[in-house]
Amino acid sequence: MNSIIKIEDLHFSYDSDGGKEVHDEVLKGIDLTIEEGEFVAVLGHNGSGKSTLAKHLNAILLPTKGKVTVDGIDTADEGRLFDLRRRAGMVFQNPDNQIVSSIVEEDVAFALENLGVPYEEMRRRVDEALRSVNMYEYRLHSPAQLSGGQKQRVAIAGIIAMQPKCIILDEPTAMLDPSGRKEVMATVKRMNREQGITVVLITHYMDEAAQSGRVVVIDKGRLIMDGKPEKVFAQVDRMKEIGLDVPQVTELAWELNKAGYDISPEIITEDQCVDALLRLIG
Amino acid sequence: MLRDITIGQYFPGNSLIHRLDPRFKIVITVLYIIMLFAGGTYTGLAIGAAYALIAIALSKIKPKMFVKSIKPIMPFLLITALINLLLVSSGEILWQWKFLKITDAGINISVFMIIRIVLLIAGTSLLTYTTSPITLTDAIERLLSPLKKLKFPVHELAMMMSIALRFIPTLIEETDKIMSAQKARGAEIDTGSFITRARNLVSILVPLFISSFRRADELATAMECRCYNGGAGRTRLRQLKSAPRDYAALFVTAAFLAGVIIIGRIWS
């Protein structure tokens, strides 16, 4: 496998002109390598620096110190900015504030229009992208007629149309209702599985992180945990220490384990939990 | 209820007028306006009226809608008519009181003006009734694109216009929310004296402005993330293709205009 994102000793602070405000550093030396096709969830509570980290992946922010490379492109290389942004698309939290056009299909085409893609190819890629997020039948609607989850799927289609290698989603479900969250998560997972697009999902929902292939925990600007979701969540003590929850099933298994029962806390889904409990009883 | 507000009032449809290329529709509308002002006679105006009626019939939009489009300009219409009626001093005096007098020429000009303005509004309404605002913006951008050579920011203006159109429903929804929130805190928006209500309006406008700026900032970042770099080298998903019917419509309009001009010449 090839690594698509390489972050080396990333430091970042806002208003770093004077270089005096070292104590205001938001990111304090992050090293992270993400392989092509991975589905990585970045967890952390408010102010942990996880969104700041996401913004470095497509050069919205540039490192104060250190280096970020995406698909071989240094994010600090201004000459290749659009090249970089085409490869690493970004979906934001508020669906309303990232939809540009008043017609769904035209919004999906926005990036392609900017890149000067010829009409026939644009038409094909827009239709494909809309189908892949199951929004094709809404292509002529106005975004105002759509639900939050649908709008967010349109925003994702707008990124997919660029045919990126990697998609960064910055808390894409934070403003959605539960059914909207499900729609978006299903879309993201399908994209990762079927199209092999690398996904970096910034979130503070544990159940969403549990659906990923790898969880990275950020706290106070430092990367403190990195591993399979089972392994990360099983460290319930440590997660609670930094103010994060774990999925309910993990906590249940962990409590049982602590009470002396023979059950592994490396459980993140309800099915796993049911199986383990049955084994325990039977 | 606030959500129902639309700007430009577009009635979707599939009539001949709806299907015309928006660029041609704009040019045709301009020709129509010239038609109304080129003919200084009732005959010229009658030709213009005939033209407008045919177009309205073809659009299959209820005539009621055109009557509605006149309503908001009624006060303006009446004032114009009154001024003409009372202040035109040429012609035979029919009635007089101090400096105010009504002459036959005054009546003539007033009636003429009213007909002309009504035709103007009804005819131009047809453009916005049959063309969606976003298509209209697009057509304007393309019609004005020669001005780019003069460094006139055609693309930027069109982009601003289309973003404004995009955000109208969003901001209306937001206004609704802020209004409810402020009412819940006891702000009087629907009741109280005019002054109180005006003052309370500030409590809606300030949060609305702040949130609009925040939205604009986020939208700008999102646009940059999708490689937006101004108008240079952009291609478009929406293709405007002119068909024979567009040229036919343009030809018919030009013929009407020529007719009005020729008849006007002969009369004088």
Side-chain angles (χ1 to χ4, degrees), chain A residues 58 60 82 85-86 92 94 96-103 105-117 119 122-123 144 158-159 162, chain B residues 3 134 159 162-163 165-167 169-170 173 214-215 218-230 232-239 241:
Chain A
N58 74 348
I60 298 172
F82 286 166
R85 287 186 171 163
R86 190 167 52 191
F92 297 88
N94 189 337
D96 268 327
N97 296 355
Q98 53 188 321
I99 292 181
V100 185
S101 174
S102 21
I103 299 171
E105 66 170 14
E106 282 186 21
D107 186 73
V108 174
F110 183 69
L112 303 183
E113 292 182 331
N114 293 336
L115 294 165
V117 174
Y119 175 74
M122 174 154 36
R123 183 79 255 174
I159 300 299
M162 289 198 286
Chain B
R3 273 193 199 206
I134 192 80
M159 180 55 86
S162 62
I163 289 177
L165 289 171
R166 147 77 186 83
F167 274 91
T170 311
E173 210 176 302
R214 205 189 55 233
R215 278 182 198 281
E218 278 183 33
L219 184 73
T221 312
M223 284 170 76
E224 278 183 8
C225 282
R226 285 161 80 187
C227 309
Y228 180 68
N229 191 24
R234 277 191 107 217
T235 47
R236 303 301 299 266
L237 180 70
R238 185 203 300 276
Q239 300 285 312
K241 281 204 192 84

Side-chain angles (χ1 to χ4, degrees), chain A residues 21-259:
Chain A
E21 300 167 68
V22 189
H23 57 279
D24 276 350
E25 226 174 28
V26 186
L27 297 175
K28 302 165 185 164
I30 288 189
D31 289 282
L32 180 65
T33 304
I34 293 173
E35 306 295 331
E36 231 176 302
E38 264 194 299
F39 181 170
V40 181
V42 178
L43 264 180
H45 56 75
N46 293 339
S48 60
K50 61 184 193 304
S51 273
T52 311
L53 176 66
K55 289 194 174 90
H56 279 85
L57 298 180
N58 74 348
I60 298 172
L61 296 175
L62 293 176
T64 315
K65 198 184 134 203
K67 196 175 162 187
V68 179
T69 346
V70 176
D71 201 25
I73 302 172
D74 187 338
T75 57
D77 184 351
E78 260 181 63
R80 300 188 69 186
L81 185 63
F82 286 166
D83 217 8
L84 165 80
R85 287 186 171 163
R86 190 167 52 191
R87 285 158 209 245
M90 183 114 172
V91 177
F92 297 88
Q93 191 180 83
N94 189 337
D96 268 327
N97 296 355
Q98 53 188 321
I99 292 181
V100 185
S101 174
S102 21
I103 299 171
V104 165
E105 66 170 14
E106 282 186 21
D107 186 73
V108 174
F110 183 69
L112 303 183
E113 292 182 331
N114 293 336
L115 294 165
V117 174
Y119 175 74
E120 269 76 33
E121 195 190 339
M122 174 154 36
R123 183 79 255 174
R124 187 177 54 75
R125 276 160 71 171
V126 165
D127 289 348
E128 254 171 41
L130 279 167
R131 282 205 185 89
S132 74
V133 298
N134 288 332
M135 286 299 287
Y136 185 71
E137 55 270 47
Y138 294 95
R139 66 192 182 282
L140 295 178
H141 282 230
S142 145
Q145 297 167 295
L146 305 179
S147 73
Q150 288 174 326
K151 279 188 239 184
Q152 202 58 293
R153 272 149 64 199
V154 169
I156 293 175
I159 300 299
I160 293 180
M162 289 198 286
Q163 299 180 332
K165 291 195 162 180
C166 167
I167 296 188
I168 303 123
L169 301 108
D170 190 0
E171 303 199 41
T173 60
M175 301 185 74
L176 306 182
D177 56 15
S179 71
R181 283 178 54 196
K182 255 186 217 155
E183 285 169 28
V184 169
M185 278 309 287
T187 308
V188 170
K189 280 201 286 187
R190 205 172 48 239
M191 237 160 48
N192 174 254
R193 203 174 52 231
E194 287 170 11
Q195 304 182 40
I197 299 173
T198 311
V199 172
V200 180
L201 173 71
I202 315 291
T203 183
H204 62 251
Y205 288 117
M206 301 306 133
D207 51 329
E208 284 176 8
Q211 296 172 45
S212 70
R214 176 179 171 193
V215 173
V216 169
V217 181
I218 306 276
D219 185 49
K220 298 193 184 86
R222 288 204 170 78
L223 193 156
I224 56 164
M225 276 191 256
D226 180 359
K228 289 204 165 300
E230 296 88 343
K231 303 274 182 205
V232 169
F233 288 127
Q235 303 176 46
V236 180
D237 274 335
R238 207 153 161 228
M239 292 293 278
K240 293 206 162 176
E241 204 176 292
I242 57 168
L244 285 175
D245 263 326
V246 297
Q248 283 184 333
V249 285
T250 315
E251 187 157 9
L252 174 65
W254 180 73
E255 290 284 357
L256 286 171
N257 179 284
K258 223 171 51 171

